[in-house]
Amino acid sequence: MDEIRERWNKLGDEMQEKENSVTEIFSRDRSALLLARLNRKMKLGLIWNIVLMLLPVVAGVYHRQSTEMLWLLGGFFLMMLVNLLYSGNHYLTVRRSAFMQENSCRMLERYLKAVKGTLRFERVWSLFTIPLSLIMAILYTQLLRYDSFAEIRPESPVLIVTALLMVTAVPAAILWTGWSQRKAYGEEIRELREMIAMLSAPD
Amino acid sequence: MPAKKREEQFLQLMNHCSGILQKVSLLYTENEEERADLLQEIIYQCWRSFPSFRGESKPSTWVYRVSLNTALVYRRITALQQRELTLGVDQIADLPAEQREENPQRDALLQAIRCLPKTERMIITLHLDSYSNSEIAAMTGTSKGNIAVKIHRIRETLKKQLKEEK
């Protein structure tokens, strides 16, 4: 074996012996890593929101001749925009504070509060947006059949389907929102709580 | 995968590849403070990209790739804040004292590698850790032939420097 490789291998052996330091660093920076994970999930939520906002935009371009259709799609767009602005604002605030401040217990508490606040808002907001989205979807299909809102006549099959969806699909979608939030953030929030408890415990 | 299990797997991998992390952080920094900083950054970046690691390449190759990319970005950022790394003989004093006294031969090799340009440092690190030319070419985005030529040149440079040191 040549001299360079021999020296290099010796260096590798020495470095490998420093095993504990990696675990130490990881444990020390666990809170930063956890916040990064939460940030990533929140960002993903915002991306989904933006994707959903694109749907009425695309439909709007397609139906650009119909003013009433544009009003309807505009309403849906605004509804999603409110959610994006609220969650986006929260996301940027917590992200900034997480990067700018020390990984102190107070910062983690603030972060937890902000994440929970955002999730609560999304849950409450979904109570309105999900039934409203259904109504808008029904109106959209009706507008495709008739030319304007004034021409739409209540039809029994449409009313029955709407009522059925209101009592089945809407509650299911609302419950799913809560469940998916728990599934997506549950573990991180629990970890964050544990970390706060650990940091605030007296020595 | 549950977070706890993922964390355990990650730590296992990091400890297994601890040598790679330490070597890369040592080769791309000037002093102990920077080294600790870069090591932390590498672990953080590995943790960030860990969910996307599908096991298509060897775990050590993946760790190498993330580590080297992080080191290159780190150097680019620090170069904006300070002069580019040009480590001279006198600057080896920045290494932790106990390591310096223990192994002057190793320090000489480190010093010689650290004086190489960033990409060449990356190539020789991978080569010395027994990665094939095609693997290095894939990781660095150059051709296999080019890598072979570069390795030959780098080895000559290193040999010359180590001979001068003697």
Side-chain angles (χ1 to χ4, degrees):
Chain A
M1 203 193 305
D2 66 303
E3 196 192 347
I4 297 173
R5 198 179 286 274
E6 205 174 305
R7 288 192 194 188
W8 180 258
N9 289 346
K10 258 187 207 162
L11 170 70
D13 292 342
E14 274 176 47
M15 294 291 126
Q16 194 65 41
E17 282 166 19
K18 290 177 131 198
E19 191 175 284
N20 286 337
S21 66
V22 174
T23 316
E24 270 168 36
I25 290 168
F26 183 73
S27 311
R28 199 179 58 215
D29 300 333
R30 217 173 130 214
S31 57
L33 298 171
L34 178 65
L35 297 192
R37 212 157 70 200
L38 269 167
N39 274 335
R40 201 168 49 239
K41 285 191 174 177
M42 287 177 83
K43 192 163 81 183
L44 198 68
L46 292 179
I47 291 170
W48 269 110
N49 200 327
I50 293 169
V51 170
L52 275 175
M53 280 170 73
L54 287 176
L55 293 177
V57 174
V58 174
V61 173
Y62 185 73
H63 297 292
R64 59 188 178 278
Q65 310 291 353
S66 162
T67 322
E68 289 185 325
M69 196 63 109
L70 289 178
W71 273 108
L72 185 69
L73 293 167
F76 184 76
F77 182 82
L78 280 178
M79 206 165 67
M80 300 309 293
L81 185 67
V82 171
N83 193 28
L84 179 75
L85 288 178
Y86 185 88
S87 308
N89 183 39
H90 246 78
Y91 166 75
L92 289 176
T93 312
V94 292
R95 213 183 93 154
R96 224 170 287 142
S97 69
F99 277 109
M100 285 170 69
Q101 293 169 36
E102 287 289 304
N103 268 346
S104 66
C105 183
R106 232 178 112 210
M107 188 276 279
L108 291 179
E109 277 172 352
R110 243 197 319 266
Y111 193 92
L112 177 65
K113 206 174 148 193
V115 172
K116 278 168 70 184
T118 310
L119 296 180
R120 195 181 306 119
F121 173 80
E122 281 176 3
R123 276 198 308 275
V124 173
W125 194 232
S126 73
L127 293 177
F128 299 99
T129 50
I130 292 172
L132 268 173
S133 300
L134 175 69
I135 293 169
M136 284 178 174
I138 300 284
L139 283 174
Y140 178 79
T141 54
Q142 292 302 297
L143 271 182
L144 288 178
R145 285 180 63 193
Y146 305 97
D147 285 335
S148 70
F149 286 121
E151 285 176 35
I152 298 174
R153 295 283 169 266
E155 289 167 18
S156 317
V158 176
L159 289 175
I160 291 167
V161 169
T162 309
L164 274 174
L165 288 174
M166 272 293 179
V167 293
T168 54
V170 168
I174 291 170
L175 287 174
W176 180 82
T177 309
W179 175 83
S180 61
Q181 275 190 354
R182 264 198 303 279
K183 185 110 180 113
Y185 296 92
E187 201 142 352
E188 279 82 5
I189 288 178
R190 184 187 53 77
E191 246 184 275
L192 202 52
R193 279 203 185 110
E194 276 175 14
M195 221 168 279
I196 292 167
M198 205 173 70
L199 286 170
S200 56
D203 294 327
Chain B
M1 190 196 297
K4 192 83 194 157
K5 201 177 167 199
R6 193 172 55 224
E7 197 176 304
E8 275 169 18
Q9 281 188 352
F10 174 74
L11 275 176
Q12 217 174 346
L13 174 65
M14 287 294 103
N15 282 325
H16 178 67
C17 301
S18 157
I20 295 174
L21 308 179
Q22 304 279 4
K23 274 188 281 189
V24 172
S25 62
L26 196 58
L27 285 172
Y28 283 83
T29 52
E30 276 183 88
N31 52 50
E32 184 54 24
E33 198 187 330
E34 270 189 12
R35 194 193 68 81
D37 227 29
L38 177 58
L39 182 61
Q40 185 187 1
E41 185 63 19
I42 291 172
I43 295 170
Y44 173 67
Q45 293 302 336
C46 284
W47 175 247
R48 275 188 64 180
S49 1
F50 190 57
S52 58
F53 174 56
R54 302 261 170 268
E56 283 155 6
S57 57
K58 272 196 295 185
S60 55
T61 308
W62 176 78
V63 171
Y64 239 128
R65 192 174 296 166
V66 177
S67 305
L68 289 169
N69 282 337
T70 310
L72 290 178
V73 172
Y74 181 87
R75 282 253 49 93
R76 214 173 296 147
I77 293 166
T78 46
L80 291 173
Q81 298 162 345
Q82 59 188 46
R83 66 187 161 69
E84 182 54 278
L85 178 66
T86 45
L87 193 70
V89 180
D90 51 327
Q91 284 170 290
I92 201 72
D94 284 323
L95 283 170
E98 76 282 6
Q99 291 175 13
R100 207 168 57 241
E101 284 158 15
E102 272 174 18
N103 204 333
Q105 278 196 332
R106 190 209 63 176
D107 289 346
L109 175 67
L110 270 180
Q111 184 196 339
I113 296 177
R114 287 164 98 196
C115 288
L116 294 168
K118 281 177 291 214
T119 322
E120 292 188 359
R121 231 180 292 170
M122 186 172 172
I123 293 168
I124 195 69
T125 311
L126 291 164
H127 169 72
L128 290 173
D129 266 339
S130 305
Y131 281 85
S132 68
N133 287 2
S134 39
E135 279 176 311
I136 302 172
M139 279 161 89
T140 52
T142 27
S143 69
K144 204 175 141 187
N146 193 11
I147 292 293
V149 174
K150 277 195 171 167
I151 287 173
H152 180 73
R153 277 191 204 143
I154 298 167
R155 287 188 76 99
E156 288 305 309
T157 314
L158 289 180
K159 268 183 201 164
K160 208 173 131 193
Q161 284 200 20
L162 293 175
K163 209 176 271 176
E164 275 172 17
E165 164 239 333
K166 277 177 187 169

